[in-house]
Amino acid sequence: MTVSSQPALDGPRQRDPFLVELAERDLLVAGQAPGVDALGAPVERVVSRMHAEIGALRREQHGATLHFPPVLSRATLERSGYLEGFAHLAGSIHGFVGDDDAHAKLVDELSSGADWGHHQALSDAVLAPAVCYHVYPLLAGRLPPGGREVNAFSYCYRHEDTAEAGRLRAFRVEEFVCAGDRATCERWREEWLDRGSAYLRGLGLTVRRELAEDPFFGAARRLLGADQHRRRLKYELQVPLRGRWLAVSSYNLHDDHFGRRFAIRRDDGEVAETACVGFGLERIALALLAEHGLDLDAWPADLRGRLCR
Amino acid sequence: MTVSSQPALDGPRQRDPFLVELAERDLLVAGQAPGVDALGAPVERVVSRMHAEIGALRREQHGATLHFPPVLSRATLERSGYLEGFAHLAGSIHGFVGDDDAHAKLVDELSSGADWGHHQALSDAVLAPAVCYHVYPLLAGRLPPGGREVNAFSYCYRHEDTAEAGRLRAFRVEEFVCAGDRATCERWREEWLDRGSAYLRGLGLTVRRELAEDPFFGAARRLLGADQHRRRLKYELQVPLRGRWLAVSSYNLHDDHFGRRFAIRRDDGEVAETACVGFGLERIALALLAEHGLDLDAWPADLRGRLCR
């Protein structure tokens, strides 16, 4: 089957006015495609400080933060079930396959603006859609009594067709994964909802807690979305961004989905349940700019001391 | 044209003995595919400290470090000429195209282990092959007198088929880009060769400087490789890694290649020349482990103070 390139992501695009303002003040470096912007140096510092602060919220219990590259093994993604639920958001990495003649043809196609995607083949790597997918393979086997918490950090990628503020395609998430029995996962998530709310309020943000569902695709949309909502499997913490609410942190129970797929067993030999909590660092930084203003020198003194130096 | 997935990158693989040693001591978290390993927390700290130190080598002159996501616009890659020279190393990002029926077919293919790459279409994004590709579009237009230097940082991706130590597929580079006239670029590169050598020697590494050529593909291999060598356009600084030499930093003149392609003009209106210098942070960290040992507490005191706390 020959596929054509995706025009929806290629066309010119109305940039979100907030992003335009940020770019005018060097708080954002506008990317050459929607959703691949870079942060200006002062905002990058805020992200880096929040990475340390959020990671430290549980440092005594979970050990060192695992820092992963943006790339994940394709086998792990396939095993996780992500493509069943979210094929439309996955970014697969493809590489050139061919000899010098095929390459000469590619070069011709480039110069004529033709789609050269047919020279590329699915590789054994994909972009990580969420940090926790790096973690599940490492949890395979038997957990210690009481379960286990892991803190991990990486860039994530979502293949989203939008240039709206807060919906980046490449972004960093500070994530925590819990594996154990149901009660442990539920209690852990509840504690993190409190801890996450307190952290965000401590940044001077107004926080609301909402039940949410994942943007499932295909058959999974009908089968899983309502169930997720009804069974309260996903909460988000949302904060204001210029007149709308932006989800900046999510709190998820997975039942035994990943436990089964990655052979994670509890201390007593039963399949483990898992839960995860993620903080979207670029999103929180954007919310801070919206709340406290684009002049970081005018932010509240305690925030300047914590995040801007 | 139908393409098949790339078995060469998928098969089981002899892991480099040095990487095995590192993984046994939690200094490396072995990825589920070759070349996508993560660093253990103590080594991650070393990388983070070197990022700050190398960036600071010229902070007074070049302003703040630009920190980019791992993803680059496809249009920028096409414009840069990278695919003409290095199609085999590029990683293009593909996304799912199709409706619920196509998705059901994808799910079937996944469960039978079939290649599902044909559902994916070339998107408007690619993985950044080098940090400097983020920078060239930002230099378009007229440079100030004396040219301009930019410091930038991001993850890079190379589609390499190897699991050898030091040849990661996803890795971080601290990079400097210079744009100006020929003499400025040549002097700038020479200064950086001295500065880079001094920095690496200051880490206790033995450093050798070598003429090098890029691993061109296709017709470019014959046309450009020897020329690059003869005209001394590329130098590398190499350091020992377990009985071989590992290139950890490269120093490149580009003539007016990027100046023409990205419409970068000198102060006098002529097309600018460019040069770039990159430090591979994971590679330097691996060389430090090989040189000073896998017990970071036993590293020389000044290095511990600088890189390990």
Side-chain angles (χ1 to χ4, degrees), chain A residues 47-307:
Chain A
V47 164
S48 153
R49 297 288 190 277
M50 290 194 301
H51 164 45
E53 285 192 352
I54 299 171
L57 290 180
R58 280 284 284 255
R59 185 142 300 162
E60 70 287 355
Q61 289 193 34
H62 58 63
T65 303
L66 293 174
H67 191 297
F68 290 96
V71 169
L72 179 78
S73 114
R74 169 162 63 88
T76 298
L77 191 79
E78 290 173 351
R79 193 170 175 187
S80 74
Y82 189 84
L83 293 162
E84 281 83 340
F86 311 104
H88 59 311
L89 295 178
S92 52
I93 303 176
H94 294 230
F96 177 78
V97 192
D99 56 12
D100 284 8
D101 289 342
H103 182 248
K105 198 152 164 273
L106 165 65
V107 172
D108 277 350
E109 286 163 2
L110 277 169
S111 64
S112 69
D115 183 343
W116 49 274
H118 63 97
H119 290 290
Q120 306 291 101
L122 191 64
S123 79
D124 64 342
V126 296
L127 288 157
V131 185
C132 53
Y133 293 87
H134 290 291
V135 174
Y136 301 123
L138 305 178
L139 295 176
R142 199 175 281 240
L143 298 168
R148 199 168 155 203
E149 182 185 36
V150 176
N151 171 209
F153 175 80
S154 79
Y155 266 97
C156 304
Y157 179 87
R158 303 276 166 85
H159 196 68
E160 308 222 52
D161 179 17
T162 171
E164 85 185 44
R167 200 163 287 283
L168 290 168
R169 281 196 279 167
F171 53 91
R172 282 161 287 183
V173 175
E174 187 76 35
E175 187 140 338
F176 301 83
V177 178
C178 175
D181 60 23
R182 180 70 178 194
T184 301
C185 289
E186 284 185 349
R187 192 173 56 241
W188 180 87
R189 181 177 71 156
E190 207 54 46
E191 285 167 9
W192 265 109
L193 271 161
D194 291 342
R195 200 179 285 126
S197 299
Y199 180 76
L200 295 168
R201 288 208 186 90
L203 297 176
L205 299 171
T206 305
V207 181
R208 76 174 196 187
R209 167 179 170 161
E210 291 288 305
L211 263 184
E213 46 189 271
D214 284 313
F216 291 104
F217 189 80
R221 195 168 47 231
R222 296 181 301 280
L223 295 171
L224 301 180
D227 183 62
Q228 192 183 32
H229 201 274
R230 186 177 53 75
R231 297 184 51 226
R232 303 177 173 268
L233 298 180
K234 185 181 190 70
Y235 282 102
E236 289 175 349
L237 294 183
Q238 303 179 347
V239 301
L241 184 83
R242 295 274 168 122
R244 58 190 176 90
W245 289 94
L246 180 71
V248 294
S249 186
S250 79
Y251 302 78
N252 310 284
L253 297 178
H254 311 132
D255 297 330
D256 62 358
H257 175 85
F258 295 112
R260 274 185 294 104
R261 287 181 174 259
F262 290 96
I264 308 168
R265 284 174 300 127
R266 298 176 346 200
D267 173 49
D268 63 8
E270 295 296 305
V271 175
E273 300 211 359
T274 59
C276 74
V277 167
F279 293 84
L281 298 187
E282 282 85 356
R283 286 189 173 194
I284 302 174
L286 291 175
L288 287 171
L289 289 162
E291 177 68 33
H292 300 303
L294 306 193
D295 177 5
L296 279 73
D297 291 333
W299 282 15
D302 68 313
L303 283 189
R304 284 207 315 279
R306 281 168 52 188
L307 304 179

Side-chain angles (χ1 to χ4, degrees), chain A residues 9-10 78 92 94 116 124, chain B residues 9-10 78 92 94 116 124:
Chain A
L9 285 172
D10 282 338
E78 290 173 351
S92 52
H94 294 230
W116 49 274
D124 64 342
Chain B
L9 285 172
D10 283 336
E78 290 173 351
S92 52
H94 295 230
W116 49 274
D124 64 342

